[in-house]
């Protein structure tokens, strides 16, 4: 090893004596402890919930298997239900129902006792349908934005987002 | 080498207690390892404030990851790896601010350190050389900052902290040959930087 390198390495070894001010490491630990505490407090509600659930179930003994089985069953049923519905949103389901029905929402008799707003020819009208009148169907079918009266008693069924829903007015 | 016995990890008991949530055990690990880790991080970053923040992050990360520590290496090697990697990542992100090295603060400590004074007295042969020691140290610090982050890391671990090549290679995740070649190159760089001053 050359003398020059040896000198450099001696100087480098001296650097290990470099240290911060007295008391630095005590303050460092205090700061670290304070940081740990605040991190624990900031822990997300979700992680706390998971931890508490874990603690709760671990304390149940054998019963935890029954709870676990119940949760698994509920999860499976939810998955089956979602799968069977094809993952459709309520709006999609309603639109599908309308399309399948040929645009007629209600084919039964309507029993109305109060004025009902309906739209015909783009104008809002108020009329009355007597008891036993026929089905209320799409009005203003030419309009690109279909206006549909939903007379189904006590039932309001949104058809699709593009349809303006007119409900019974009491 | 096969059959070579591994030294038992002296921190094993503290680590096991800390894993169960014993924060006092982890505090003991912090007290034990922070001085050396401080030296590592400081000589890589050359900034006291950055060192303090980074060291806090190192121990925080070690605490969060403690459950994943399987004991394949010693705790010391493991946390040293964390500190080295975090320091290297930090240096990559920050622009090198050579002018902000806070060595003046540390240099005051160094001047009054009894062990250092004894060491320098032994290593110097004449008053002129002794007077130049401080200047030489300053030049050496500048030269260290001229090295790349990877080269400075090996110089810090080998020359300053006295770690063997094998341990450095485990910490950095490179072969011992790579450690030796990086050291060789770094030493040559330092010699070149200091050449002019030494004439």
């Amino acid at each position: 090893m050359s003398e020059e390198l040896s000198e450099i390495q001696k100087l480098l070894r001296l650097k290990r004596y470099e240290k911060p001010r007295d008391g630095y490491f005590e303050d460092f630990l205090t700061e670290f402890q304070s940081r740990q505490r605040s991190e624990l407090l900031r822990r997300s509600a979700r992680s706390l919930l998971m931890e508490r659930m874990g603690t709760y179930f671990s304390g149940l003994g054998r019963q935890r298997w029954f709870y676990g089985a119940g949760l698994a069953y509920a999860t499976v049923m939810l998955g089956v239900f979602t799968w069977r519905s094809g993952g459709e949103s309520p709006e999609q389901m309603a639109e599908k129902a309308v399309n399948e029905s040929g645009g007629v929402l209600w084919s039964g008799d309507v029993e109305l006792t109060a004025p009902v707003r309906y739209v015909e020819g783009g104008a809002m009208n108020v009329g009355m349908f007597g008891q036993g009148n026929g089905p209320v169907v799409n009005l203003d079918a030419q309009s690109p934005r279909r206006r549909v009266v939903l007379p189904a008693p006590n039932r309001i069924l949104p058809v699709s987002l593009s349809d303006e829903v007119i409900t019974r007015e009491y | 080498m096969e059959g070579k016995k591994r030294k038992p990890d002296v921190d094993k008991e503290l680590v096991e207690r800390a894993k169960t949530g014993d924060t006092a055990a982890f505090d003991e690990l912090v007290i034990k390892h922070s001085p050396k880790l401080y030296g590592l991080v400081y000589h890589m970053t050359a900034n006291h404030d950055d060192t303090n923040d980074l060291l806090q992050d190192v121990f925080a990360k070690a605490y969060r990851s403690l459950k994943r520590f399987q004991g394949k290496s010693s705790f010391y090697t493991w946390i040293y790896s964390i500190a080295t990697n975090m320091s290297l990542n930090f240096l990559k992100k920050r622009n090198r601010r050579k002018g902000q090295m806070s060595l003046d603060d540390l240099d005051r400590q160094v001047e009054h350190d009894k062990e250092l004074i004894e060491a320098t007295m032994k290593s110097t042969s004449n008053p002129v050389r002794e007077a130049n020691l401080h200047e030489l140290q300053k030049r050496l610090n500048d030269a260290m900052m001229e090295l790349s982050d990877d080269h400075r890391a090996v110089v810090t671990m080998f020359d300053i902290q006295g770690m063997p090549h094998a341990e450095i290679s485990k910490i950095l995740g490179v072969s011992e040959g790579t450690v030796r070649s990086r050291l060789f190159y770094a030493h040559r760089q330092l010699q070149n930087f200091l050449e002019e001053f030494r004439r």
Side-chain angles (χ1 to χ4, degrees):
Chain A
M1 190 188 300
S2 70
E3 193 184 323
E4 284 171 358
L5 181 58
S6 176
E7 286 287 332
I8 289 171
Q9 287 186 304
K10 272 188 198 171
L11 288 169
L12 287 169
R13 276 197 290 277
L14 289 177
K15 289 174 76 59
R16 72 180 62 167
Y17 296 104
E18 293 175 10
K19 53 191 175 187
R21 59 172 174 80
D22 286 340
Y24 169 80
F25 291 109
E26 287 76 18
D27 294 343
F28 178 85
L29 179 64
T30 305
E31 188 185 336
F32 178 72
Q33 288 167 337
S34 157
R35 181 179 159 151
Q36 259 187 323
R37 245 178 269 126
S38 60
E39 272 187 18
L40 277 170
L41 289 170
R42 268 204 312 267
R43 273 176 72 182
S44 68
R46 182 177 168 273
S47 70
L48 281 169
L49 176 67
M50 295 304 288
E51 187 187 342
R52 283 179 185 169
M53 280 176 65
T55 308
Y56 173 74
F57 281 112
S58 65
L60 285 178
R62 285 184 186 178
Q63 289 176 28
R64 69 177 186 263
W65 299 112
F66 294 105
Y67 280 107
L71 273 172
Y73 176 75
T75 307
V76 167
M77 292 312 294
L78 184 64
V80 167
F81 175 77
T82 307
W83 173 70
R84 286 179 79 179
S85 68
E88 292 172 331
S89 66
E91 290 81 11
Q92 286 171 318
M93 287 168 72
E95 187 156 5
K96 192 175 169 184
V98 169
N99 292 336
E100 285 172 0
S101 68
V104 175
L105 296 169
W106 180 256
S107 60
D109 287 341
V110 178
E111 190 172 299
L112 300 174
T113 59
V116 174
R117 285 190 299 175
Y118 66 95
V119 177
E120 188 173 12
M124 189 78 76
N125 294 315
V126 177
M128 291 225 2
F129 293 89
Q131 187 175 356
N133 279 359
V136 180
V137 298
N138 292 357
L139 303 177
D140 197 14
Q142 301 304 314
S143 168
R145 193 160 182 260
R146 188 176 63 182
R147 295 174 192 267
V148 176
V149 177
L150 302 177
N154 300 320
R155 185 159 64 97
I156 295 178
L157 179 68
V159 180
S160 76
L161 292 177
S162 63
D163 291 337
E164 183 176 307
V165 175
I166 301 174
T167 63
R168 284 194 296 175
E169 186 177 39
Y170 293 97
Chain B
M1 260 186 250
E2 289 183 9
K4 189 178 179 180
K5 284 184 186 173
R6 265 182 57 196
K7 285 183 193 173
D9 187 0
V10 295
D11 295 324
K12 189 177 177 187
E13 192 203 324
L14 285 173
V15 170
E16 291 306 315
R17 278 169 50 200
K19 277 184 179 182
T20 62
D22 186 349
T23 53
F26 194 81
D27 288 347
E28 284 188 50
L29 291 168
V30 172
I31 293 168
K32 186 176 175 185
H33 294 291
S34 51
K36 253 204 153 174
L37 286 172
Y38 181 94
L40 168 74
V41 177
Y42 176 75
H43 288 113
M44 287 178 68
T45 63
N47 182 282
H48 171 71
D49 293 329
D50 289 341
T51 300
N52 184 68
D53 293 342
L54 208 42
L55 209 53
Q56 288 286 341
D57 291 342
V58 165
F59 281 110
K61 183 166 186 182
Y63 185 74
R64 285 194 300 269
S65 310
L66 201 58
K67 285 195 166 69
R68 292 199 292 272
F69 173 62
Q70 295 173 340
K72 289 179 183 172
S73 64
S74 68
F75 175 79
Y76 173 74
T77 301
W78 180 71
I79 198 166
Y80 229 83
S81 300
I82 294 174
T84 306
N85 290 331
M86 286 183 76
S87 300
L88 288 171
N89 288 337
F90 171 81
L91 288 170
K92 275 181 200 159
K93 287 178 191 170
R94 126 184 143 174
N95 294 324
R96 224 179 269 181
R97 296 172 294 172
K98 294 177 196 174
Q100 295 193 16
M101 280 163 51
S102 58
L103 285 172
D104 283 347
D105 292 338
L106 283 186
D107 281 351
R108 273 189 226 112
Q109 292 279 352
V110 166
E111 285 173 20
H112 295 111
D113 191 285
K114 191 182 167 204
E115 284 176 59
L116 174 63
I117 291 169
E118 285 172 7
T120 53
M121 291 296 286
K122 281 177 193 170
S123 70
T124 57
S125 57
N126 61 64
V128 174
R129 202 178 151 84
E130 195 177 317
N132 282 336
L133 181 64
H134 181 71
E135 183 62 25
L136 189 58
Q137 282 282 13
K138 202 166 181 306
R139 292 290 182 123
L140 183 61
N141 294 333
D142 291 341
M144 281 278 285
M145 296 314 292
E146 291 294 325
L147 296 175
S148 73
D149 299 337
D150 289 334
H151 289 108
R152 194 161 62 253
V154 291
V155 168
T156 298
M157 284 191 257
F158 181 78
D159 291 305
I160 297 177
Q161 303 214 313
M163 296 172 73
H165 295 116
E167 197 164 353
I168 297 172
S169 76
K170 269 188 225 168
I171 288 167
L172 294 178
V174 297
S175 67
E176 279 190 50
T178 302
V179 172
R180 287 177 206 276
S181 69
R182 283 186 191 173
L183 271 171
F184 176 80
Y185 178 80
H187 288 155
R188 214 166 62 180
Q189 288 282 87
L190 290 174
Q191 278 179 278
N192 291 339
F193 287 134
L194 295 174
E195 189 65 35
E196 201 171 310
F197 177 76
R198 295 181 61 77
R199 280 183 198 149

